[in-house]
Amino acid sequence: MASSLTKASAAPGTPGAETFFGHPRGLATLFMTEMWERFSYYGMRALLPLYLVAPGGLHLNAATATAIYSVYVSLVYLLAMPGGWFGDRVWGPRKTVAVAGAVIMLGHLTLALPSSGTFYAGLGLVAIGSGLLKANISTMVGHLYEGRDDARRDGGFTVFYMGINLGAFAAPLVIGTIGEKVNWHLGFALAALGMALGLAQFLLGSRHLADRSSVVPTPLSAAEKASTLRKAALWAGLAVVFYAVVGFSGSYTLNWILVPLTLLGVIIPVMVLARIKRDRDLDRAEQSKMSAYIWFFVAAAVFWMIYDQGGSTLSIFASESAENSVFGWGFPVSWYQSVNPVLIMALAPVFAWIWLALNRRGKEPSTIVKFASGLLLVGASFFLFLAPLSIAEGGHKAAALWLVAIYFVQTVGELLLSPVGLSVTTKMAPAKYASQMMGVWFLAVTAGDATTGLLSLAGVDLNKTGIVALEALLAVVAGGAVWMYRKRVKELMGDVR
């Protein structure tokens, strides 16, 4: 294609008047917004565990740092559900994304202030903003296309997700380097700048978005608004009173925040699944599919529990016990977080080609087999982690390539499990919960990360050989269970393949 932006025959100023690699011009706006938002998010996330343990940062122990990191990541995915609700019921997707961008930017600016008190407030703001943005920006990508049968739809989402990985790849290299080598808070300020650029171009390019992105699909009635505000005020008031009592009693510690949040991260996913499963409006086929879906959900929670430690447990290990250099050339620890996105960009097209080639021959693995394989691989990655751990316990620095190999195995596992999980979620969703099930899938990430947080708060050292081996074994057993019961799960799935 001669250029990325070309004129089409539609009237100027309307979606479709210009094209972006053959897609509606609005895709460029959303692509850049997501790229800059992911740049800010992953840049901050790469710095977070390192800042928490650094003598020049908050100088916390590894267990507390891992707990804070895990709680933060679990909150981002937990808040995606209420974020989608705001887009559907209150502001509409476009306004929700604009507000989310401003909240994320403010959060990063707050992180840039040299104060531990404001630091935690900044984390909360970034989590809230990310939750508001996550579901709604993907919804707006869908709005650019005419119906579900538009042949460009899948390709559009592929281009959009490239923006995610471009931002995630560049962020540790830029923000991580500045944060580690120059000043931690300057790194967080760069994350704020990235989000500011994303928000500015979103506001300037919003005229290219579909009109329905500004529409509130199912607005709250006056009675519903009043009821929602009353409930929100009640819970907020109770929280203020509770923490005021704890604070004035002199017994407040960080665990008074971390423990409730980690418990919510485990309890809420269970409650949501139980509520859907008990819904008597679902017919027998939908109930059966939900029973099968619970298998996938639990397996995914185990997967993400291990996978997301790539940003916490592995990162802290690298900062303390790895030789972070290649051929004598040293690099910042945060650069490890660029390995996964670059591998995703390199391997995703290969996997797509493999599945198509196998499908033509009638040999493509089933959803269940892909899921089981993803779990086995993430387990294998932690068995592989035992090697550098043993080297470090012997008083030596582990080679950087050990960590790169772990991230490689995890990325292959991700490509087997994550896209399949997204797909099976849409296929198995009961009609009544069609728009909510993507948020339910994100709750698997919440449950996995919250479990990691609970282990850390309980004093478990996740960088110990025995714990790593147990986690690896858990993933392998979970993958084996999915494989062993594949016929039963397949029966429960009904017509879904």
Side-chain angles (χ1 to χ4, degrees):
M1 192 169 293
S3 65
S4 61
L5 287 172
T6 57
K7 289 288 183 181
S9 59
T14 61
E18 295 176 331
T19 64
F20 175 66
F21 290 108
H23 293 272
R25 174 62 178 82
L27 184 61
T29 297
L30 299 176
F31 174 95
M32 294 296 292
T33 303
E34 183 73 352
M35 185 190 76
W36 282 114
E37 189 274 332
R38 293 290 88 180
F39 175 85
S40 70
Y41 173 78
Y42 281 103
M44 185 277 284
R45 210 171 94 158
L47 285 183
L48 179 57
L50 304 174
Y51 172 75
L52 291 173
V53 299
L58 296 188
H59 205 189
L60 303 174
N61 59 56
T64 304
T66 300
I68 292 170
Y69 178 91
S70 300
V71 167
Y72 166 71
V73 176
S74 71
L75 273 179
V76 168
Y77 287 92
L78 179 63
L79 292 170
M81 284 196 77
W85 180 86
F86 263 89
D88 286 342
R89 308 298 309 274
V90 183
W91 290 329
R94 187 183 301 188
K95 184 176 179 180
T96 303
V97 168
V99 171
V103 172
I104 293 169
M105 181 179 67
L106 179 61
H108 287 304
L109 287 173
T110 307
L111 289 173
L113 300 175
S115 166
S116 60
T118 56
F119 180 82
Y120 295 113
L123 277 184
L125 287 171
V126 176
I128 291 168
S130 297
L132 286 170
L133 184 140
K134 196 165 187 65
N136 289 288
I137 195 165
S138 296
T139 298
M140 287 195 291
V141 174
H143 287 169
L144 295 171
Y145 300 94
E146 295 297 329
R148 295 181 180 273
D149 296 328
D150 190 320
R152 301 173 299 168
R153 176 181 288 268
D154 286 353
F157 273 98
T158 300
V159 173
F160 175 71
Y161 285 118
M162 285 297 289
I164 294 175
N165 286 292
L166 281 172
F169 167 70
L173 304 181
V174 179
I175 295 174
T177 302
I178 297 298
E180 283 191 68
K181 300 299 183 183
V182 182
N183 181 276
W184 295 108
H185 297 286
L186 183 57
F188 294 130
L190 274 179
L193 175 62
M195 189 65 254
L197 291 171
L199 179 60
Q201 70 83 39
F202 176 78
L203 296 173
L204 291 171
S206 60
R207 67 184 184 277
H208 298 293
L209 302 176
D211 291 338
R212 60 179 171 147
S213 291
S214 298
V215 175
V216 182
T218 53
L220 292 171
S221 65
E224 286 175 319
K225 284 182 181 177
S227 175
T228 302
L229 287 172
R230 280 196 304 270
K231 291 176 182 177
L234 173 63
W235 284 107
L238 288 173
V240 169
V241 171
F242 175 78
Y243 283 105
V245 171
V246 172
F248 286 122
S249 70
S251 60
Y252 176 81
T253 66
L254 191 58
N255 281 354
W256 281 102
I257 292 287
L258 294 179
V259 172
L261 289 176
T262 50
L263 288 173
L264 285 174
V266 175
I267 293 169
I268 289 176
V270 173
M271 290 176 61
V272 169
L273 284 174
R275 179 174 61 85
I276 296 174
K277 188 72 178 69
R278 291 198 310 264
D279 193 332
R280 296 186 178 182
D281 289 342
L282 304 188
D283 59 33
R284 181 175 295 181
E286 289 176 324
Q287 286 282 359
S288 179
K289 288 174 184 176
M290 280 306 302
S291 295
Y293 187 75
I294 289 171
W295 277 84
F296 292 114
F297 185 93
V298 173
V302 173
F303 178 90
W304 295 116
M305 180 186 76
I306 294 175
Y307 178 91
D308 274 347
Q309 288 184 57
S312 56
T313 304
L314 284 176
S315 188
I316 292 171
F317 172 84
S319 69
E320 297 175 348
S321 305
E323 184 65 48
N324 302 308
S325 63
V326 177
F327 302 120
W329 176 72
F331 56 86
V333 175
S334 53
W335 282 24
Y336 285 111
Q337 301 309 307
S338 289
V339 174
N340 170 260
V342 77
L343 288 174
I344 289 285
M345 289 187 286
L347 296 177
V350 176
F351 271 76
W353 177 82
I354 290 172
W355 300 143
L356 283 173
L358 291 174
N359 184 266
R360 291 191 194 101
R361 300 173 188 174
K363 294 182 179 180
E364 183 180 0
S366 68
T367 295
I368 300 169
V369 172
K370 291 176 183 177
F371 237 81
S373 300
L375 278 166
L376 291 172
L377 281 169
V378 83
S381 76
F382 260 36
F383 278 126
L384 184 59
F385 187 23
L386 294 175
L389 280 173
S390 297
I391 293 169
E393 287 176 358
H396 304 285
K397 293 282 188 179
L401 289 178
W402 280 114
L403 295 172
V404 173
I406 294 168
Y407 286 119
F408 175 81
V409 175
Q410 290 186 345
T411 300
V412 175
E414 179 189 3
L415 287 168
L416 284 166
L417 183 140
S418 185
V420 174
L422 291 168
S423 176
V424 82
T425 297
T426 60
K427 292 176 182 177
M428 295 171 67
K432 182 177 179 179
Y433 296 98
S435 62
Q436 299 178 41
M437 283 299 289
M438 199 55 69
V440 174
W441 168 252
F442 289 140
L443 288 180
V445 186
T446 296
D449 282 301
T451 302
T452 300
L454 284 174
L455 290 171
S456 298
L457 290 173
V460 176
D461 187 347
L462 297 173
N463 262 321
K464 289 295 184 184
T465 302
I467 299 300
V468 170
L470 281 174
E471 290 186 85
L473 183 61
L474 174 63
V476 170
V477 169
V482 172
W483 169 259
M484 286 175 61
Y485 288 92
R486 64 190 182 281
K487 292 182 179 178
R488 174 59 180 156
V489 176
K490 188 176 181 180
E491 290 172 4
L492 292 171
M493 291 172 69
D495 58 354
V496 175
R497 292 291 178 265

